[in-house]
Amino acid sequence: MRLADFILSNVEPILAEWEIFARSIGAGETINQLTVRDHAGQILQATARDMKSAQTPAERSKKSKGEPHHGQDSDALDGASDMHAIDRLNLGFDMIEVMSEYRALRASVLRLWHESMPGPDERDVEDLTRFNESIDQSLAKAVASYTKRVDQARDMFLDILSHDLRNPLSAISMSAYV
């Protein structure tokens, strides 16, 4: 069975492993099943669809270099990854924990696929390459979204802090000048 087809027909066992891992790290220990799984199913399904989509050699080259690869399947993967990262940040996951989820997802998919004993196919290397590219794209989008949201929160905090301190510091400065 081709890897993308395996993913689509085994979403639940893959998600079960994702959940076990996510519950074993930091903030994941105390959240419910729906919250742990949040966008994981969408990420898996978008990954499989992205793997099955046609890709020219030029598109493959761009994607392997991290350049934007637009298409409905690629955009769906980016959207699910974006939302997953923001949800994880809001739940208190740190960047390392988010990244480790993707490592665990990759390992689980490949292990479960291998254990299913798929017959050898001349396209296996291509499937693995496309899978890794899609997971890397998803991880890169998640990291970008996570850091963007952290940067926004930091900037807002600094704006509020500088605004709140402006009047007292002005008063102190004026009284010291007199």
Side-chain angles (χ1 to χ4, degrees):
M1 176 183 290
R2 303 276 311 267
L3 181 54
D5 295 327
F6 173 81
I7 292 169
L8 290 172
S9 51
N10 289 280
V11 169
E12 184 53 38
I14 296 167
L15 288 178
E17 290 212 8
W18 173 296
E19 181 181 347
I20 291 167
F21 178 78
R23 286 187 179 283
S24 74
I25 56 175
E29 297 172 347
T30 60
I31 53 182
N32 66 39
Q33 180 184 34
L34 288 177
T35 305
V36 168
R37 290 186 178 203
D38 64 12
H39 299 91
Q42 292 170 337
I43 291 170
L44 277 174
Q45 291 170 352
T47 296
R49 286 191 305 272
D50 186 54
M51 291 170 61
K52 291 179 124 188
S53 67
Q55 192 176 65
T56 66
E59 289 171 329
R60 171 173 273 164
S61 177
K62 284 177 65 172
K63 190 172 184 181
S64 71
K65 295 173 185 158
E67 296 174 18
H69 171 72
H70 298 289
Q72 182 179 3
D73 299 316
S74 191
D75 291 343
L77 181 60
D78 286 348
S81 303
D82 179 56
M83 293 307 299
H84 179 74
I86 291 168
D87 285 351
R88 288 305 196 240
L89 175 62
N90 292 336
L91 290 168
F93 281 66
D94 64 30
M95 178 66 73
I96 301 299
E97 291 169 338
V98 172
M99 292 171 57
S100 68
E101 282 188 299
Y102 281 89
R103 178 194 44 77
L105 176 64
R106 184 187 320 255
S108 294
V109 167
L110 295 177
R111 183 183 54 73
L112 291 170
W113 183 52
H114 176 72
E115 287 174 359
S116 75
M117 300 183 140
D121 189 299
E122 63 187 29
R123 299 164 293 184
D124 285 348
V125 171
E126 180 182 345
D127 286 354
L128 288 168
T129 301
R130 294 287 305 267
F131 173 70
N132 284 317
E133 287 172 351
S134 289
I135 293 295
D136 290 345
Q137 175 186 344
S138 184
L139 175 59
K141 182 62 176 176
V143 168
S145 296
Y146 188 100
T147 56
K148 179 181 178 186
R149 188 59 64 105
V150 168
D151 290 346
Q152 288 171 341
R154 183 197 64 233
D155 292 345
M156 184 174 12
F157 172 76
L158 291 175
D159 288 345
I160 292 169
L161 182 65
S162 67
H163 181 269
D164 288 351
L165 289 177
R166 185 174 301 130
N167 289 340
L169 288 176
S170 293
I172 292 168
S173 176
M174 287 178 65
S175 68
Y177 181 71
V178 174

